[in-house]
Amino acid sequence: MGHRDSPAVVSDGRDAGRRRAAGPGEAATPWSAPNGRMAPGERRLLAAMPLHAITTLHGEAGLRERLALEIAGFPDAGRERIGRALELAARLHAADRRQREPYVNHLLRVAIRIISHYRIHDPDVICAALLHDTVEDHPAGLAHGGGQPEAIAALAAQFGTRTAGLVAAVTNPMKNGPSGDSHAQYREHVAARLAASPWARVIKMSDFTDNGVGLIHTTGPRIGKLANKYAPLVPVLRELIARPDTPLDDDVKAHVFDQLDRAAQRFAAIRPMPEPDAATI
């Protein structure tokens, strides 16, 4: 999952679940902007703006508009499914925050990156990207009090078995008892799941990019812990993405490797330096 914070700790009230009212003769849609209509010129610029710049300037409204632009050419059925996935994810994560932003911003960036940067136009994959944290974070909301298996079954009923299977592949299991080295267990779990699911690698890589490369946009005492969690995944993801069955073009893989290099540099800057050996002083 992405790094999620308690709303009581970090929420500043901005973009918190608000939607603009539909105008006369206009139906509310999943792309309705929380903070009012965007000027046409601003909307056109969204197609070329970096995702974190959109987040900073326009928040959730801008990210929703960017997703709408990215899927404008999809068949109607695909756009409808993606809209339903976004609204379900937004509802389940409505009280969740990352720093001072709604958690849905993270989900939007993960989905947009897959379309815009990775050139994937598969509605099953885009829906799974939007829903990738729902089973891990809110299984009871999906299955009315059930656990992860029931939540995955509920997603399958709504979005199909392939989308549900992709969500399952990037979902960490519930923790039971002492966790031991939780970071090592997380890394081993990710490697095992992604080795068996090439399409899940695409979702996980976008998620990792938002969490890892995007860690530069994170502040507070958790930043060191998050760097320690994500840094060991860099070589794991590099090896998995390089595999011939990973469904990304070679130039996209090169872009991903550059992102992993940037993430490694940022983790190295954040993580504490090891204590010097007294014998060498």
Side-chain angles (χ1 to χ4, degrees):
M1 64 172 288
H3 37 282
R4 183 167 57 94
D5 297 301
S6 165
V9 175
V10 298
S11 174
D12 64 357
R14 294 182 298 173
D15 300 331
R18 297 192 300 270
R19 301 286 182 273
R20 67 172 172 86
E26 178 185 9
T29 75
W31 326 116
S32 297
N35 297 322
R37 290 183 182 275
M38 189 173 294
E42 289 181 320
R43 193 170 188 272
R44 287 193 296 270
L45 284 175
L46 290 179
M49 289 178 66
L51 299 185
H52 279 284
I54 294 175
T55 304
T56 299
L57 292 174
H58 301 292
E60 181 184 345
L63 292 169
R64 283 176 175 261
E65 293 279 4
R66 173 65 180 267
L67 180 59
L69 290 171
E70 294 290 348
I71 68 170
F74 282 32
D76 290 347
R79 285 189 288 109
E80 187 273 334
R81 287 181 63 221
I82 292 168
R84 285 194 292 111
L86 173 55
E87 286 306 279
L88 176 59
R91 177 175 63 79
L92 292 173
H93 291 282
D96 298 340
R97 297 290 182 271
R98 272 180 29 144
Q99 294 286 294
R100 291 177 297 276
E101 65 173 339
Y103 196 78
V104 71
N105 286 7
H106 164 66
L107 308 175
L108 283 160
R109 288 193 297 265
V110 170
I112 294 165
R113 185 178 294 107
I114 288 171
I115 306 169
S116 177
H117 296 37
Y118 301 171
R119 300 199 295 269
I120 302 298
H121 299 90
D122 184 330
D124 285 346
V125 178
I126 307 309
C127 287
L130 290 166
L131 297 164
H132 77 269
D133 278 334
T134 56
V135 170
E136 186 173 328
D137 292 349
H138 299 288
L142 281 168
H144 305 292
Q148 288 189 353
E150 294 81 8
I152 291 168
L155 282 183
Q158 296 182 64
F159 297 98
T161 56
R162 183 164 177 254
T163 290
L166 290 171
V167 173
V170 296
T171 296
N172 293 325
M174 299 292 289
K175 294 179 181 178
N176 294 309
S179 60
D181 186 347
S182 59
H183 290 171
Q185 291 177 7
Y186 170 68
R187 184 169 64 253
E188 292 167 3
H189 168 77
V190 168
R193 286 288 185 92
L194 299 189
S197 181
W199 281 104
R201 296 171 207 162
V202 174
I203 297 170
K204 189 62 182 180
M205 188 61 228
S206 184
D207 179 43
F208 180 84
T209 297
D210 208 61
N211 290 331
V213 181
L215 201 60
I216 195 170
H217 302 282
T218 301
T219 59
R222 294 187 65 208
I223 190 169
K225 181 179 179 180
L226 291 168
N228 287 331
K229 173 184 177 181
Y230 296 135
L233 273 182
V234 170
V236 173
L237 289 171
R238 180 180 292 276
E239 189 276 328
L240 287 165
I241 295 298
R243 293 186 181 186
D245 63 340
T246 299
L248 295 173
D249 293 336
D250 288 343
D251 63 321
V252 175
K253 288 185 178 183
H255 169 77
V256 167
F257 296 148
D258 178 66
Q259 293 287 294
L260 288 169
D261 289 342
R262 291 171 63 191
Q265 292 169 1
R266 290 173 183 180
F267 296 147
I270 293 168
R271 300 173 83 187
M273 295 295 290
E275 293 294 330
D277 188 338
T280 64
I281 298 178

